Amino acid sequence: NKNTGLKKTETHNKLAYNEVKPVELVKENSPQSIKENFLNNEKAKNSPIKIISSQLFKNPYSNHKDIKIVFKNASKKDIQALKLEWYCENSFNEPANGKFFYEKGKSTGNIAQKIRVGSTKTFFLEDFSTDANVIIKARAYYVIFSDGSKWNLH
């Protein structure tokens, strides 16, 4: 049947429906599609920000994890502000808990300070996750340059 996705069969002059195995679709905001998006380097290769390193630390005041991201302004312009995002998994290779319940594994942070061409900066965020074990990828997704122009990953 076109509307139900079920296969119609006849049984003793009565119509019956047999289940058809559902096709697994990857939803746009599913953990699988979010991770695949982070692993797709094609979009990020023109980023004006180069991520040098990213590390997780246990917060000394709680059981939460902190993150440290070191990055460089690889563009030819000074940067006024930028937005970072990262994807983490827990010990079970599942998306880690973060500040946002609707996109497990993904977290974000903003930096609003001038970053000169070629300079390296460190971003540190406390208490962003309760169970993150590994950072799959960190990247810049939005950059505002000092001249007012913008770069957007998405």
Side-chain angles (χ1 to χ4, degrees):
N1 181 319
K2 288 181 185 177
N3 296 330
T4 63
L6 300 176
K7 184 178 169 185
K8 193 189 309 186
T9 59
E10 281 195 10
T11 309
H12 303 290
N13 295 329
K14 292 183 181 177
L15 293 176
Y17 289 92
N18 294 330
E19 280 192 48
V20 175
K21 285 188 177 182
V23 176
E24 281 193 45
L25 299 174
V26 176
K27 292 182 182 174
E28 188 174 327
N29 283 333
S30 73
Q32 183 181 354
S33 73
I34 294 169
K35 181 178 180 178
E36 286 172 1
N37 180 289
F38 270 85
L39 293 174
N40 179 357
N41 291 325
E42 192 62 32
K43 291 180 182 178
K45 73 179 181 182
N46 295 324
S47 174
I49 296 296
K50 179 181 179 191
I51 303 297
I52 296 169
S53 67
S54 55
Q55 293 175 280
L56 294 173
F57 297 93
K58 184 185 175 312
N59 186 298
Y61 309 108
S62 71
N63 289 329
H64 293 184
K65 296 288 179 90
D66 302 340
I67 189 165
K68 175 182 160 187
I69 301 173
V70 179
F71 61 92
K72 180 178 182 176
N73 178 353
S75 75
K76 293 181 165 81
K77 300 178 189 179
D78 288 345
I79 292 172
Q80 178 180 322
L82 67 107
K83 294 182 178 188
L84 297 171
E85 62 185 1
W86 55 93
Y87 182 82
C88 295
E89 290 183 338
N90 61 25
S91 298
F92 299 103
N93 297 326
E94 297 169 340
N97 292 328
K99 292 193 181 245
F100 307 115
F101 66 90
Y102 54 88
E103 282 191 314
K104 290 206 179 255
K106 180 179 171 183
S107 296
T108 62
N110 300 334
I111 299 161
Q113 66 176 219
K114 188 170 187 173
I115 304 164
R116 298 204 181 274
V117 173
S119 67
T120 300
K121 297 284 183 186
T122 300
F123 170 80
F124 196 82
L125 182 66
E126 293 183 332
D127 288 337
F128 88 92
S129 178
T130 56
D131 68 344
N133 186 53
V134 63
I135 303 166
I136 301 299
K137 177 122 184 202
R139 64 188 181 187
Y141 71 95
Y142 189 72
V143 176
I144 302 171
F145 296 99
S146 295
D147 67 3
S149 61
K150 297 172 176 74
W151 176 86
N152 193 346
L153 176 67
H154 305 298

